[in-house]
Amino acid sequence: MPLALVTGGAAGLGLATAEAALARGYRVASLDLLPAPERPGLVSLIGDVTDPASIDAALAALDSVPDLLVNNAGIVRFAPLLDTTTADFARTIAINLTGAFTVARAVAARMIPRGSGVIVNITSIGGIQTSPGTNAYAPAKAGLAALTELMALEWAPLGLRVNSVAPGMIYGGMSSSVYADEGTRQRRASAVPARRLGTEADIAEAVMFLASDGASYVNGHQLVVDGGVTRATMAMIPRG
């Protein structure tokens, strides 16, 4: 039975991805600062993606090398750049970008001797078209998209596939507070060509596609799952 490791798997998008993997026959380990809820086949590992020793200890607790790594752990802190401290900026980069690198490097080092493995990094449309007030989140996600490509180039000859999923406006996870107001939800949904906000399940399904044999020739790709919103700029501008 294959093993999936999901960072930030205790709640939100990470938990939805863990549950999607369980439904497909994976055993799943959640690596998170918080314990994951009890699910048959789900193991909760307490660890910090910014701490290499913590990651190594978590991996040592597993009975086998992961077949799938989903780098999902992340934070967002809303503030204008002029109000963002260097410490806050660095912390966001550390979790969203450096943490993904640190976990991927540790897991890849264990996958490569076996000659196979899949890594999916969770990026964001915020790294494609940023918006004011998201400080380090957008640079971190843009960096993770570039890092995904670099991982794919270096590790594909060694048997690994590395791709990313860029969620759009998702009603859930870290964005739950943004969409707590019904008016905000409706206004944002109306701006999406698909006329709805995305769900955690939408993203989890995209992750599982990239993990599947159906995506065996997909490598170094960022799959944008956003209902078309990043392509809708011209549609929002009147012609006359």
Side-chain angles (χ1 to χ4, degrees), residues 1 22 130 145 151 190:
M1 184 178 294
L22 289 169
T130 190
M151 289 175 177
S190 68

Side-chain angles (χ1 to χ4, degrees), residues 167-216:
M169 293 188 288
I170 305 301
Y171 184 20
M174 292 190 300
S175 298
S176 295
S177 61
V178 175
Y179 299 118
D181 177 70
E182 183 177 354
T184 299
R185 291 200 305 273
Q186 292 178 349
R187 286 192 298 274
R188 289 213 164 192
S190 68
V192 179
R195 293 298 185 267
R196 71 173 178 89
L197 298 175
T199 67
E200 294 169 345
D202 289 325
I203 306 308
E205 289 299 315
V207 170
M208 296 317 298
F209 164 69
L210 290 174
S212 73
D213 290 341
S216 63

Side-chain angles (χ1 to χ4, degrees), residues 212-233:
S212 73
D213 290 341
S216 63
Y217 203 55
V218 181
N219 210 1
H221 178 68
Q222 180 170 231
L223 177 58
V224 178
V225 185
D226 70 346
V229 73
T230 55
R231 296 294 181 264
T233 301

Side-chain angles (χ1 to χ4, degrees), residues 132-187:
T134 54
N135 62 68
Y137 183 78
K141 291 300 187 178
L144 185 54
L147 180 62
T148 298
E149 296 179 7
L150 182 57
M151 289 175 177
L153 288 172
E154 293 194 3
W155 297 342
L158 304 175
L160 276 56
R161 289 195 299 111
V162 188
N163 293 289
S164 64
V165 172
M169 293 188 288
I170 305 301
Y171 184 20
M174 292 190 300
S175 298
S176 295
S177 61
V178 175
Y179 299 118
D181 177 70
E182 183 177 354
T184 299
R185 291 200 305 273
Q186 292 178 349
R187 286 192 298 274

